[in-house]
Amino acid sequence: MLKAIFFDLDGTLWNSSETVAESWNIVLEHENHPLRITGSDVLKHMGKSMDVIMRDVFGADMKDK
């Protein structure tokens, strides 16, 4: 019986920034976008909403997409 689910949102147990960057880069490459994301880039944006990340990284508003 499942008694609990644990979410490591702040990366104290597992830092997923490199894996997340890799997934972004797969999509960026698939879309022929020249930008590549690093694990450090991901860490800079942890905790931000997707609207803010889109604006900061791509200079775009998600409402425009």
Side-chain angles (χ1 to χ4, degrees):
M1 172 194 240
L2 183 64
K3 293 186 178 191
I5 297 175
F6 183 78
F7 293 97
D8 180 27
L9 299 176
D10 66 355
T12 54
L13 298 177
W14 179 53
N15 182 346
S16 63
S17 60
E18 293 298 326
T19 304
V20 171
E22 185 178 337
S23 66
W24 273 78
N25 289 328
I26 289 168
V27 173
L28 290 166
E29 186 174 344
H30 182 265
E31 295 297 322
N32 297 315
H33 196 288
L35 180 68
R36 292 300 173 263
I37 305 292
T38 66
S40 295
D41 296 326
V42 171
L43 290 174
K44 291 176 195 172
H45 297 289
M46 288 290 187
K48 296 180 183 178
S49 68
M50 283 306 296
D51 290 339
V52 172
I53 294 170
M54 287 292 290
R55 185 190 66 229
D56 291 353
V57 174
F58 299 102
D61 189 329
M62 287 187 68
K63 295 178 215 144
D64 297 336
K65 301 296 170 199

